[in-house]
Every structure is written in C-alpha cells, then in structure tokens.
Amino acid sequence: MKQRFISSAQIILQFALTTVGLTGQSYPGKPQIIRCRSLEKETFSCWWKPGSDGGHPNNYTLFYSKDSEEKIYECPDYLTSGPNSCYFDKNHTNPWTTYIITVMATNEIGSNSSDPQHVDVTSIVQPDAPVNLSLETNTSANMSYLWAKWSPPLLADASSNSHEYHYELRLKPEEKEEWETVSVGVQTHYEVSSLQAGVKYIVQVRCMLDLGEWSEWSSEKSIQIPKERLPPEKPTIIKCRSPEKETFTCWWKPASDGGLSTNHTLLYSKEGEEKVYECPDYKTAGPNSCYFDKKHTSFWTIYNITVRATNEMGSNVSDPHYVDVTYIVQPDPPVNITLELKKSIKRKPYLVLTWSPPPLADVRSGWLTLEYELRLKPEEGEEWETIFVGQQTQCKMFSLNPGKRYIVQIHCKPDHHGLWSEWSPEMYIEIPTDFKVKDMVVWIIVGVLSSLICLIMSWIMILKGYRMMAFILPPVPGPKIKGIDTHLLETGKSEELLSALGCHGFPPTSDCEELLIEYLEVEDSEDQQLMPNHDTPSKNTKIVLKETDSDSGRGSCDSPSLLPVKCREPRGLPSALQTQDVRAKEKKGEKGSWEAQCMASEQKTLPCNNESTKSCTWLAAQLPSTQPAMFAYHSTVEAFKMTLNTTNVNTSPVLVGNEENHQSLYPIAETVYDDVEKVGENSKTDQTTVQVRQNQHNDKSPFLNPKLMDYVEVHKVRQDEEPTLLLKHKENNGKTKKCTVSGTNKEYTKVSTVVDHHILVLLPDQRTQNTPVSQEPVAETSQNPQQSQAEKNTSYSMTTPSDSRRDTSGSDYMDPSSFMPSFK
Amino acid sequence: MSTKGAPLKGLLLVVLLVSHMLLTKEGVTSLPICPSGSVSCQLSLEELFDRAVKLSHYIHFLSSEMFNEFDERYAQGRGFIAKAVNSCHTASLTTPEDKEQAQQIHHEDLLNLILGVLRSWNDPLIHLASEVQRIKEAPETILSKAVEIEEQNKRLQEGMEKIVGRVHSGEVGNDIYTPWDGLPSLQLADEDSRLFAFYNLLHCLRRDSHKIDNYLKVLKCRLIHDNNC
C-alpha cells in the first residue's frame, strides 16, 4: 500500500519538478542501483549510482520491502560498504526472502526514485578473492613440485568464517599467455607437478560459494622452479688445432649441465707417461678451451685428452681424444698479400702476387714448412681457378683477361700434414685494358667502312647494273651464219661445227633415221604419248641418244614433246628447229587443224605410195626392223643426192617432208606401214639400193645438211605467213605447184626454196611420205652431236637384237602404225 | 777423417776442414764446392742437405701414404690408436719434442740422432717389406711402398753419413742405435694382434720419418741458411 502510495506521490512530484525544471533548477536525476552482492550469503550490500543532482546537494535514501511483508524499511547501514551503498547485516538478511529495493534521491526541489530492484540473496553471492597465497617448490627424485597455499577471503563480519568455498587455481610459465586452470576443491592448498625445470611460474586462486559466482582471481604470485639437479652429461671435444706447430688448443662442447653450475676439467696424459695432467690454461683461448703453451706441447707424442664435467650431482667424462700435434697444424692465412701489375717485354701485363707466411708461423727456422695455394676468379665469375704454388711466396699470373677485375685469395698448409688455413681476405685487382683493344677498334672501324663502301658499290651496280655490264662486258655478237648453232660453238665440237657450216664430213645419215623415229613417235601418241616414249628410260640406245640430244637442245626446245625437233637443232639447223617447235606448239593448241593436216597427209600418202614407191618403201623397210631406220636415213640421203645431183622429184619432196613435220609424219608413217605390208618385196629391193647409197650419202651428207637448213628456214616463213609461201610457190617450178595442190602444201613450198638454192626441181609428187623420210636425216644429225657415228652404229647393232618394240627403232615405228587405225 | 794421405793433399784438406768447422760453428754457411786446387770435387753441404731433405720428404710422404692406406683398410674401428701409445721401438732415443728443443740441441747431436733413428729402422724395414706380403689381401701399393721406403732409407742413411762426416768434428758415433724386436709380433697368428703390430710399426715409421724430415729441415735452415730460410 505504502509502496503504491509512494510511487503515486513520486509521479505527482515528478510533474511538479518538471515544471520547476523548466524554470532553471530541477529535482535530482534518477539514481541507479548498480549491483547487490552477498559475500557469504549471510549479509549483502547494494551499491547505486547517483543521477544528476539537479543543482543541489542530494540526499539518498534506500528503501526496501520484503516480498513477504508490506512494510517498507530504510537501509540499516549506509556506511559499512562505503559511499552510495547499503549494507545489510546478518540480522537484516534473510536468504529465503526476496528484497525489493529502491533508492530515492532528494533535494530542495524534489526527489527521484530509482527503478525497484528485486534481490534474492542466494543468487547474488560472490565472495572476495582468496588471500594470502603462498608458493613453494619442492624437488624430490628429479621431479619438481609446486606447493600453493592460500586463505579464504576475509569477511567484514569476522565471526562468520565457517563458509565452505570451492577454489580454483591457475598457473602459467611467466613468458606464456595461456593459463592452465586447475579445480582444487575445498582445500586451501594444492600441489602442482610436471613442471618445467628452470621456469618461473605465475599462480592465481579464486573461490566460490556453492551457488554463487566465482570471485575475482587473487593477486598473482610467482615462483621460480629450480633447474634439475643432475650430473652433467658427457662433454665433447670438438677439435684441437695448432696454429704454428708450437702450441695448440683444444675446444670442447659442454653438454647439459643438469641445472647446476658445472665445472669442466681437461685432463691429458702424454704418450710414455703414466701421469695425468690438467689443462695448463683454460683462459687464453676463451671459454671451453684449453691452451697448451710451448712448454706443454710436444711433438711426435700422442696426447690422450679427456674433458670432465662436474657438478654437485656428479661428473661425466668425455670420450678420449688422441692427438699428435704434428698432424693438427692449421696455420693462419697468409698476410701481406700484394698484387702488382707488371708489363712484359711484349707489353702484355701480368700479375705478380707476393705474400708473407702468417706471423705466428716460424718458417725461417725450418721447423714449419708451409705450402701455398692461391685461387682467383673474375669478379663476376662463378668458379675459382686454384693454383698450387708450393713453398714459394710469390707467383706470377699470365694470361689474365684485360679489363676484368679479379679476386685473389691465398691460403697455406704445412707440408705433409695438417689442414689448409682459412682463405685470406679477398684481394681485388683490375687488369687494365690492353692497347690491343685500340687496335681492335681501328680494325672494327676499317671493317665497317669497307663494308659500307661495298654496300654503296653494290647499290650502284643494281641501279645501273645493266649499263655497267654493257660497258664493261659488251655483248658478244651471236653467229650470224645461218645454221650455225651457238650451242655447238660453245661445246666446241669441231665435227659438228663443220657440219653446221656445211662441211659434209660427218655422217648425218644415221641421225636422219632417228629423226624419223621421233617423228613417228610424236604423231602416234600425240603429245601425251610422246612424253612417255621419251621419258621411259628405254633400252634402246637411240632413245637414249635422243634424250641426250634433247638435253643439249633444251635451250631452244620449249616442250618435251618437241624432243625430236630438238634433235635436229644440234645438227646445225637451229632456226629451223625453232620454227618447228613453234609449229608443234601451234599444233598442240589446235588439234583440229593438226588432225586436218593429218588427214591431208593421209590423203597424200596414198598418192605418194602410188606415185613414189621408193620413198614409201623406204619408210616401210624402216618400220619392221631396226635397220629400217638406217634405210630410211639412207633413203633420205638418196633423196638428198637426188635433189643435189639430179634434182629428182622424189627426193625433193622428202626434204620438204623433213621440215614439214610430225603432223604429216604420223599419217605418213601409217601410209608407209601400209605400204610396207603391201609392197614388202619392193621395199626390200629398195633397201639394198639404199644401203649402197648410204655410203655415198655419208660422203655427201654434209651437202645435204646445209640444204636442209635452208629448207627449214623456208618452212618458218611458210608457216608463219602463207602469202610468203605462196610467193615461193610462184618462184618454184611447176612441180611446186603440185605440192601446193597436196594437203601438205607448205612442205612443198619449202622444197621450192631448196630448189632455188640448189637448182633443184621439185616434183608435184611431193607428199607427206617424202616428208618423213626427210625428217629421218635430221634426227640422225641430231644424234651426231652427242655420239660419234661409230657409236651410233654400235647402238644400232645393239638395238636390233632386242625384241621389244621400244628398244628397236622399228618398234618405235610400229607404235605409230598401231595407232594408225584409230586415226583412220 | 783420413787426411793422412799424401802430405800436400792432406794438408790442404785439413785446412779446409778446419776452416769449415770454424765457419759452421759460428753458424755461417760453409760450402766451398770445388775450390781451386782441391783434388776431389765434392758436393757442397747445401747440396747434400737439399738432397737429404728431398729424400726424407719423399720417405715421409711414402710412409704416411702407406700408413693411411693401411689405416683405412685394416684399422677402422679397432681402436689401434689408443693401443699404439708409447710403443715405438725408437722411443728410447731421446729426440727433440718441440721447436725449442730442436733448436737448442747441437746440430752434431741432432745429426747423430737422425742417423741413429735411420739405423734403427734398417732392420724393421727389411722385415716389413717381407712381412707385408703376408697380410691378407695386402694391396700391391703397400708392398711397393714398403720396398721403396726401405731402399730410400738406406740412401738417406748414406747421405746422412756423408753430411755427418762433413760436419762432424769428432768421431762419428756409431753407437746410437735401437734394436727392434718386433718381428715376432708381425708374425703373430692372431690376425688382430698381427694387424696391430703392423699398424704400430707403420705408425712409428710415419712418425720417425716425419721427425727426420723435420729435423733435417731445421738443420738445413740452421746450417745452410743461418736460420733464415
């Protein structure tokens, strides 16, 4: 009831105060109860935080009521727990009661109350930290223990000390962060084992009443855990060294000292003596070492050295170390190293190294003999070059790279035994760049300049190269004699030359045969078939010859199909050959016309056969056998003879036929073949005659060639321009007219020209048949350039035995014949 | 020295010797080689020392190589070194044990000591060369070195006698000599003991050859270069 009243009164007051506050002063701010805490569940205290004082001194009053009663009480004790607190002593504390507590601040203007706080004493128990923590260490059986003791927290009421606290202890090594917490229980002491020896530990304790909170940690206490108390472990003798072969020092490494201060004693006995001595000098060489001065150093004596480590708990002795000082000499590095550059007579710089033995080493007496080794490398180099120099104290280094900086080091070692000293400190020397480098520069400049000049020259040459060339090397005028093959001139074969010039010394007859053959091939197979014939490495020597011929004549022959034509060239009819080539091309391009011509030739052939049996028979004779080629040749020869001497109508057409060509040739061959079959007997008779004539022909052949050439030229003209041909025809005799009548008019025209030169009279009988005959000699002539006539003969003989068509010339002829029917 | 031959020559020799001795006693280099008028042209003392030093150097090189070889091959892990203490037969010869002693001892005494040590090794070296062959799987290199050392030791002994004869003022002491009684140990049936006997002998040989080499170098510097090598 009262509480409610108060609260309602407060509200009223607050309103009043707020109105006042607006005018300047105000009632106090609302205080706040911070916490209530019971140390031991029998008493408790509450603390509050004042609000704003409102500009006036405040009075604070704590009221409380119990949940079991309606009555409101004021704080029994404002002093015990300090300012702004209220202490409830035993009498005012009932653990079974919930207290409702408010604090009211009052000043002149008004008052303000805190929010009420409900307090259950049992739930706010938090004791103070334990006190009087003390630590002890105890060591037994190599184990260290830590004893911690403390007292329960002090209470304001000294009479109530019967509470039972639970304790917790935590500890850690001083340098660590993590605590190790141990639940102790209700005891006020604890023993910690498994501690690290020699570590300082920090310990704290806290306590708790059964349901409350843990107290704060007590103040820290620390204690040093003593090191283990053990006998030391075995020390190790590291090494013994004599720097100058007069004294020596031994070093050892102590092992663990067992946590106690340990003394090390070096004991030694010398060979031949029973007595054990102690190290004469522990200090000179630093800690953990023993220095044996000259008096205590003997050579050629084995020292048995041991080190004993001793502490309270006992001692331990190292393994014995046997030392003969003779073998443990390791001098100091050499000193006074000087590097000097000198120049030899050739001005080549070389390096002179000098040094002195280490000052301690008495080299002069001969007691110690040192040997030296030096090493050097360019500064940026990786690998050292090591040079053993023996007992010298100087060294000359040649062949150092000029312009490089070298690092040099030296070390030394007694002769026979001992160890190499440390390397001396690095010494640097820069080898000056040689004057040679200047020379190099000069050479480089010269090289660059010369190459520049070359460049300019070549540039000029390119720009005006042709003029220059023409100026320096005027073109050699080509031979202007008709029929002279420049190629022949180049090859320089006198025979051919002569023949070309008109000398009949060489036998073109055989060539003519070949020519025939070629023609035949060409026509039979046309372009395609010609190729294989030529390409196939036929066993026939003739073919081989052709091939070679073709090679020689390639300069003028454009297409392989014209090989037979080429063959003619070497004979001294270059111009004619060329023209023929042209023709061939034309033919290729225009098959129709070609075929037409062929037809014409065929037509002609028929009459030819009828009229001039001789020529036909010749061809026929040639076809069946290899010899026939010869016959053909001969026949041509005959024809030539005829033209030359008697101006025989039959022969003249033959000549024309030669120039005329392949087109006509093919049909001709056919006709011939037919003729042969038909008039085989006649041909035989002709052959005989031919043979006879061959001989003659050989003699006369030279004459024939020039004639042929002439004809060829004419052909060109003809082919190119018919009108010219026509003109020639006009010039020709009436016989030539006949030629024009025949399909192969052009050929006849050629013949007519021949007639002009040699006064030959062309017969109207001239027909395709004749033309092939004429071709034969040309072919033969083509063979000549490459092979001597003798060879040809042999080749012929060789060919005859072979059965295959290709092998024999006859076979070649045969092929065309076989094709014939298709054409027909 | 036999200087009582032809009176003239003898007189000359005596004069030379006396002067030589005086010089050497004063620590001056002494070495006329072929003085004009002298009949027999002999090597200078320097030359003799050079040769002796080279020989001793070589002998020690051989003996330490031989020892190392043996040590690696037969003595690993047997702890011979501990047993080898104080068991060289030449230990009874009191030789200088450090630089001071070597410098203080009279060069004649030192020369005699060297000779004594050399002589003391004659016998064992002969036996060593023969007994080494009996070692199981004795490498050829050890054997050849033993033979070589024995030979070179004799040569060095001759050279030392020459030097001693040249330097010595009084009689050449032939008495310095330590007998060697180690042959039976080299022929022991027990392989371990026999190997140790060899080990010990080689160890002693290495030590003594080094001693001789060192002494000779000291003597050379003292007598020839006046302690200014």
Side-chain angles (χ1 to χ4, degrees):
Chain A
M1 289 292 289
K2 207 167 193 178
Q3 207 173 4
R4 285 173 191 166
F5 166 78
I6 290 169
S7 60
S8 59
Q10 279 177 350
I11 292 166
I12 295 163
L13 270 175
Q14 278 178 357
F15 280 113
L17 285 172
T18 47
T19 52
V20 174
L22 292 172
T23 59
Q25 294 180 336
S26 68
Y27 54 89
K30 197 173 169 183
Q32 190 179 354
I33 297 168
I34 305 168
R35 72 180 293 210
C36 294
R37 176 190 176 195
S38 166
L39 290 178
E40 72 298 81
K41 215 163 68 174
E42 291 178 1
T43 65
F44 75 98
S45 304
C46 283
W47 291 267
W48 64 88
K49 193 177 81 179
S52 63
D53 59 2
H56 298 273
N58 288 357
N59 263 335
Y60 293 97
T61 318
L62 184 140
F63 300 99
Y64 70 93
S65 62
K66 300 176 184 174
D67 58 352
S68 55
E69 302 173 28
E70 292 297 315
K71 196 178 177 182
I72 293 176
Y73 306 93
E74 192 182 347
C75 171
D77 181 356
Y78 285 109
L79 301 176
T80 305
S81 293
N84 294 331
S85 73
C86 176
Y87 173 67
F88 297 82
D89 61 10
K90 260 186 192 174
N91 297 330
H92 294 84
T93 304
N94 183 353
W96 313 109
T97 303
T98 299
Y99 294 84
I100 302 153
I101 300 169
T102 55
V103 175
M104 189 169 69
T106 314
N107 63 7
E108 295 174 356
I109 296 171
S111 65
N112 203 348
S113 288
S114 70
D115 295 332
Q117 176 109 10
H118 295 254
V119 173
D120 178 8
V121 176
T122 50
S123 67
I124 60 165
V125 175
Q126 184 188 29
D128 275 337
V131 294
N132 299 331
L133 175 63
S134 67
L135 303 172
E136 272 181 34
T137 60
N138 197 359
T139 304
S140 65
N142 290 338
M143 288 289 288
S144 295
Y145 296 97
L146 185 147
W147 273 98
K149 286 181 181 176
W150 59 90
S151 307
L154 294 175
L155 295 174
D157 186 355
S159 61
S160 61
N161 246 348
S162 61
H163 305 289
E164 201 176 57
Y165 292 98
H166 287 264
Y167 297 98
E168 238 180 26
L169 175 146
R170 69 176 185 180
L171 78 169
K172 65 166 186 175
E174 191 178 29
E175 70 278 6
K176 288 191 178 174
E177 290 296 323
E178 292 175 8
W179 292 90
E180 182 189 349
T181 307
V182 183
S183 177
V184 176
V186 295
Q187 302 168 342
T188 56
H189 59 87
Y190 189 71
E191 184 187 80
V192 185
S193 60
S194 71
L195 295 169
Q196 285 179 296
V199 176
K200 194 176 183 183
Y201 279 91
I202 298 170
V203 182
Q204 285 180 311
V205 192
R206 66 177 179 180
C207 58
M208 183 182 74
L209 277 172
D210 35 31
L211 284 176
E213 297 176 22
W214 281 107
S215 71
E216 301 291 323
W217 285 105
S218 69
S219 58
E220 289 182 353
K221 293 281 180 179
S222 64
I223 190 169
Q224 176 81 36
I225 307 299
K227 292 178 180 176
E228 290 175 277
R229 300 163 62 83
L230 289 173
E233 290 179 16
K234 263 204 298 195
T236 314
I237 296 172
I238 305 166
K239 72 162 184 175
C240 297
R241 176 202 167 202
S242 167
E244 75 297 65
K245 207 176 169 183
E246 293 175 37
T247 67
F248 74 103
T249 306
C250 288
W251 290 267
W252 66 86
K253 192 179 89 180
S256 85
D257 59 359
L260 296 170
S261 67
T262 304
N263 272 332
H264 286 90
T265 325
L266 184 141
L267 301 170
Y268 70 93
S269 64
K270 285 163 75 175
E271 178 182 351
E273 295 182 32
E274 294 298 322
K275 202 175 173 186
V276 174
Y277 303 91
E278 195 186 342
C279 169
D281 183 353
Y282 286 110
K283 294 177 181 176
T284 305
N288 297 325
S289 73
C290 176
Y291 173 70
F292 295 80
D293 62 9
K294 289 182 185 178
K295 280 186 181 178
H296 295 87
T297 304
S298 302
F299 290 84
W300 304 295
T301 300
I302 293 177
Y303 283 75
N304 181 359
I305 300 173
T306 53
V307 174
R308 177 187 294 271
T310 313
N311 65 7
E312 293 175 19
M313 306 302 295
S315 68
N316 215 332
V317 181
S318 72
D319 291 331
H321 194 71
Y322 295 95
V323 168
D324 186 337
V325 187
T326 317
Y327 307 122
I328 58 162
V329 180
Q330 183 187 25
D332 294 326
V335 294
N336 296 334
I337 300 166
T338 61
L339 304 172
E340 194 181 355
L341 270 177
K342 290 186 177 175
K343 288 207 171 179
S344 61
I345 302 165
K346 291 179 180 179
R347 288 174 133 202
K348 202 175 181 185
Y350 63 93
L351 180 61
V352 179
L353 274 158
T354 59
W355 60 89
S356 306
L360 280 177
D362 178 14
V363 179
R364 299 183 162 208
S365 68
W367 177 249
L368 173 61
T369 310
L370 290 177
E371 292 172 337
Y372 303 92
E373 192 176 61
L374 61 89
R375 67 175 183 181
L376 82 168
K377 67 168 185 179
E379 197 173 15
E380 69 277 8
E382 288 289 324
E383 288 188 9
W384 291 93
E385 184 185 352
T386 308
I387 301 156
F388 180 77
V389 292
Q391 299 178 18
Q392 301 170 344
T393 54
Q394 71 160 15
C395 178
K396 291 175 182 172
M397 309 282 308
F398 298 93
S399 71
L400 294 171
N401 289 335
K404 284 200 173 178
R405 199 155 178 247
Y406 280 90
I407 306 172
V408 184
Q409 286 182 303
I410 306 176
H411 66 172
C412 59
K413 169 184 137 357
D415 62 344
H416 295 307
H417 305 288
L419 301 167
W420 284 104
S421 71
E422 301 284 311
W423 285 102
S424 65
E426 292 183 344
M427 300 286 288
Y428 294 88
I429 181 92
E430 185 150 357
I431 310 298
T433 52
D434 230 355
F435 68 96
K436 279 185 176 177
V437 173
K438 293 173 185 172
D439 283 6
M440 282 297 294
V441 168
V442 170
W443 281 114
I444 288 169
I445 290 170
V446 167
V448 168
L449 282 178
S450 58
S451 58
L452 256 178
I453 290 168
C454 281
L455 268 175
I456 293 167
M457 287 293 287
S458 57
W459 182 60
I460 292 171
M461 286 295 286
I462 290 165
L463 283 182
K464 303 185 175 180
Y466 293 112
R467 288 185 203 168
M468 294 283 285
M469 283 298 292
F471 182 77
I472 297 168
L473 302 170
V476 178
K480 297 187 176 177
I481 304 166
K482 283 183 178 180
I484 287 183
D485 186 0
T486 53
H487 181 72
L488 280 180
L489 284 171
E490 290 172 3
T491 52
K493 288 189 178 179
S494 60
E495 266 190 4
E496 296 164 0
L497 250 180
L498 283 174
S499 65
L501 290 170
C503 300
H504 305 282
F506 78 109
T509 53
S510 60
D511 293 347
C512 289
E513 288 177 0
E514 291 175 357
L515 269 178
L516 247 182
I517 294 159
E518 290 171 359
Y519 280 100
L520 286 171
E521 289 174 355
V522 171
E523 292 196 353
D524 286 345
S525 60
E526 293 192 18
D527 294 348
Q528 292 177 350
Q529 287 190 351
L530 279 173
M531 288 300 294
N533 285 337
H534 291 288
D535 292 341
T536 52
S538 63
K539 297 171 184 178
N540 191 348
T541 53
K542 284 183 180 178
I543 291 173
V544 173
L545 291 174
K546 290 172 184 176
E547 288 176 354
T548 53
D549 288 345
S550 69
D551 290 339
S552 65
R554 262 173 202 176
S556 58
C557 299
D558 293 336
S559 65
S561 64
L562 298 174
L563 284 175
V565 177
K566 295 172 187 174
C567 294
R568 289 180 183 177
E569 291 178 2
R571 270 298 148 188
L573 306 173
S575 60
L577 290 174
Q578 287 176 356
T579 57
Q580 287 177 352
D581 293 341
V582 174
R583 279 173 155 193
K585 289 178 182 175
E586 291 174 354
K587 291 167 186 172
K588 288 178 182 177
E590 304 170 354
K591 287 182 179 178
S593 65
W594 195 81
E595 288 175 357
Q597 288 179 352
C598 289
M599 290 302 291
S601 64
E602 286 178 359
Q603 292 175 354
K604 291 174 188 175
T605 54
L606 291 174
C608 171
N609 292 334
N610 296 330
E611 293 179 0
S612 63
T613 54
K614 289 182 180 179
S615 62
C616 295
T617 55
W618 291 341
L619 292 170
Q622 291 171 355
L623 293 173
S625 66
T626 56
Q627 286 181 352
M630 297 294 290
F631 287 108
Y633 179 75
H634 297 300
S635 67
T636 55
V637 172
E638 287 178 355
F640 288 113
K641 290 176 185 175
M642 292 298 286
T643 55
L644 290 172
N645 297 332
T646 61
T647 64
N648 214 352
V649 177
N650 291 334
T651 55
S652 60
V654 171
L655 292 174
V656 173
N658 282 338
E659 295 171 353
E660 210 186 82
N661 318 337
H662 342 285
Q663 301 175 354
S664 61
L665 285 176
Y666 177 71
I668 290 166
E670 291 175 353
T671 56
V672 170
Y673 185 75
D674 296 340
D675 294 341
V676 171
E677 289 177 352
K678 294 174 181 176
V679 197
E681 294 177 356
N682 294 334
S683 66
K684 287 179 181 177
T685 56
D686 291 338
Q687 286 176 356
T688 56
T689 57
V690 169
Q691 285 178 351
V692 175
R693 289 170 184 173
Q694 280 181 349
N695 298 332
Q696 296 174 353
H697 165 75
N698 289 335
D699 297 338
K700 297 172 182 177
S701 59
F703 290 100
L704 292 173
N705 287 332
K707 293 172 185 175
L708 285 172
M709 292 172 62
D710 292 345
Y711 289 109
V712 173
E713 288 175 357
V714 173
H715 276 294
K716 292 178 182 177
V717 177
R718 265 191 319 134
Q719 291 174 353
D720 295 339
E721 299 174 356
E722 290 180 356
T724 55
L725 293 172
L726 292 174
L727 290 174
K728 288 177 182 177
H729 290 296
K730 292 175 181 178
E731 292 174 359
N732 293 341
N733 296 335
K735 293 173 184 177
T736 58
K737 292 176 181 177
K738 291 177 181 178
C739 293
T740 56
V741 172
S742 64
T744 57
N745 288 334
K746 298 173 182 178
E747 294 173 358
Y748 289 100
T749 59
K750 290 177 185 176
V751 173
S752 70
T753 57
V754 173
V755 172
D756 292 339
H757 291 291
H758 299 277
I759 316 173
L760 291 174
V761 178
L762 292 174
L763 295 173
D765 296 342
Q766 293 174 344
R767 289 178 186 180
T768 55
Q769 289 180 351
N770 295 336
T771 57
V773 176
S774 66
Q775 287 172 350
E776 287 178 357
V778 177
E780 287 180 358
T781 54
S782 69
Q783 284 181 350
N784 285 336
Q786 287 187 350
Q787 290 186 351
S788 64
Q789 287 183 348
E791 287 177 350
K792 292 174 184 174
N793 294 333
T794 56
S795 68
Y796 286 119
S797 64
M798 290 295 287
T799 55
T800 48
S802 64
D803 294 337
S804 66
R805 292 179 178 179
R806 289 181 181 179
D807 292 346
T808 61
S809 61
S811 67
D812 289 341
Y813 290 100
M814 288 304 290
D815 291 341
S817 68
S818 63
F819 286 98
M820 282 296 292
S822 64
F823 283 102
K824 290 175 179 177
Chain B
M1 309 204 75
S2 64
T3 58
K4 297 172 182 175
L8 257 178
K9 296 174 186 173
L11 192 63
L12 188 61
L13 257 179
V14 167
V15 170
L16 280 172
L17 275 174
V18 167
S19 65
H20 162 79
M21 285 178 329
L22 288 175
L23 286 170
T24 49
K25 275 191 176 174
E26 290 169 9
V28 177
T29 326
S30 65
L31 314 163
I33 316 283
C34 286
S36 55
S38 78
V39 176
S40 63
C41 182
Q42 45 186 351
L43 287 170
S44 69
L45 194 57
E46 183 176 2
E47 192 75 16
L48 285 175
F49 264 112
D50 276 347
R51 294 184 181 188
V53 164
K54 272 179 193 163
L55 253 186
S56 67
H57 191 96
Y58 179 53
I59 290 170
H60 177 57
F61 169 77
L62 287 177
S63 58
S64 52
E65 287 276 299
M66 184 164 62
F67 171 80
N68 291 338
E69 221 167 302
F70 187 90
D71 187 43
E72 274 178 28
R73 201 178 171 91
Y74 301 105
Q76 290 304 304
R78 295 183 191 245
F80 286 161
I81 181 72
K83 289 197 274 178
V85 168
N86 195 25
S87 49
C88 288
H89 73 287
T90 52
S92 56
L93 290 176
T94 317
T95 51
E97 290 194 331
D98 56 35
K99 192 181 94 174
E100 281 190 4
Q101 287 180 24
Q103 282 179 324
Q104 280 167 5
I105 191 172
H106 194 270
H107 64 268
E108 290 182 16
D109 298 339
L110 189 51
L111 281 172
N112 278 329
L113 268 177
I114 293 171
L115 252 182
V117 174
L118 284 173
R119 279 193 207 110
S120 304
W121 275 100
N122 279 340
D123 205 21
L125 278 176
I126 292 170
H127 290 291
L128 178 66
S130 61
E131 296 298 328
V132 157
Q133 303 178 46
R134 294 198 194 176
I135 302 178
K136 216 200 302 179
E137 298 169 3
E140 181 60 29
T141 47
I142 290 182
L143 178 61
S144 65
K145 286 193 180 87
V147 174
E148 176 79 357
I149 289 171
E150 190 217 335
E151 232 170 78
Q152 300 301 332
N153 198 58
K154 277 181 196 164
R155 286 184 57 193
L156 181 57
Q157 206 173 313
E158 288 170 20
M160 288 313 297
E161 273 164 3
K162 224 169 211 179
I163 290 175
V164 168
R166 191 79 68 81
V167 171
H168 227 286
S169 55
E171 289 294 312
V172 177
N174 258 345
D175 48 342
I176 303 177
Y177 169 74
T178 327
W180 177 65
D181 54 0
L183 183 57
S185 66
L186 292 183
Q187 296 166 336
L188 282 174
D190 176 32
E191 191 187 355
D192 205 53
S193 309
R194 197 174 69 246
L195 282 179
F196 170 69
F198 274 105
Y199 176 90
N200 196 42
L201 190 63
L202 294 181
H203 161 254
C204 292
L205 176 60
R206 179 175 73 149
R207 169 183 291 179
D208 284 345
S209 64
H210 188 247
K211 265 187 197 176
I212 290 166
D213 185 45
N214 217 140
Y215 294 155
L216 275 174
K217 281 169 181 169
V218 169
L219 276 175
K220 182 190 163 194
C221 285
R222 200 204 297 186
L223 297 179
I224 312 295
H225 301 288
D226 193 16
N227 272 331
N228 194 11
C229 272

